[in-house]
Amino acid sequence: MSFLDKVTKAVGDVVDKGKKDVDQFMKIQKINGEIGGIETKIAGFKAQIAQAKAEAGSKAIELLRAGTIASPELQAFLEQITGSERQIAEEEANIAAKKADIEKIKAEHEAEHVAAAATETPAVPPVAASPTPAAPVASARSCSACGASLAGAAAFCPQCGARQG
């Protein structure tokens, strides 16, 4: 067997081994894909079971509240649910009170702005003794929301935070 024949045989063996490895990999990947599909089905079935249990529990609680059924085991769940519902109502009332506090703070702040704007007196420019050419004055801008003076090209009012634009 010549050197060239040995090299050709060695390369052929490597290619055959590579094909076998690729075939094995493809078969394994196919089976893993099938397993993934089955696991997805199982997860769907488990979700259906969980939903059915939740609906059954809701129905049982409704029947307990209506007095249609009496079960000491389920009564403990009903008491737990009722307690949680009560706590939710209390927390929602706390949220409503805090939102009312926010509105009160905003109203007080707005009232202060209105009062401050009403008491401000415009500055009277001094009378010049001799007519001299006036220096260029930068145009004064004011906030469109609260009327506060704006410096330069401010994008937001420093007083109320309103966007200027």
Side-chain angles (χ1 to χ4, degrees):
M1 195 180 238
S2 71
F3 175 74
L4 197 52
D5 289 336
K6 288 180 183 179
V7 169
T8 303
K9 182 177 179 341
V11 169
D13 290 345
V14 169
V15 169
D16 287 343
K17 183 178 180 333
K19 283 182 183 178
K20 287 179 183 178
D21 289 348
V22 168
D23 286 344
Q24 177 190 5
F25 177 77
M26 294 302 290
K27 288 177 183 176
I28 291 171
Q29 287 303 102
K30 181 181 177 190
I31 293 170
N32 279 333
E34 291 170 356
I35 289 170
I38 294 168
E39 288 173 337
T40 300
K41 282 183 183 178
I42 291 170
F45 293 140
K46 286 181 178 182
Q48 288 175 354
I49 291 169
Q51 182 179 357
K53 284 181 178 180
E55 289 173 7
S58 294
K59 187 65 176 175
I61 296 300
E62 288 176 27
L63 293 173
L64 275 172
R65 284 186 173 158
T68 306
I69 62 172
S71 169
E73 296 87 9
L74 295 178
Q75 189 64 35
F77 290 118
L78 176 61
E79 290 170 3
Q80 182 181 7
I81 290 169
T82 303
S84 295
E85 289 171 340
R86 216 173 303 126
Q87 288 175 331
I88 289 170
E90 289 172 8
E91 295 304 325
E92 287 174 341
N94 285 339
I95 289 172
K98 292 194 181 299
K99 286 183 177 181
D101 289 344
I102 290 171
E103 292 303 316
K104 181 180 173 185
I105 291 169
K106 286 180 179 179
E108 289 172 355
H109 185 69
E110 183 64 28
E112 289 174 5
H113 273 307
V114 170
T119 59
E120 285 183 10
T121 57
V124 178
V127 178
S130 64
T132 57
V137 177
S139 62
R141 292 187 335 152
S142 61
C143 174
S144 58
C146 71
S149 295
L150 299 175
F156 295 92
C157 175
Q159 189 69 30
C160 71
R163 180 166 179 77
Q164 303 301 307

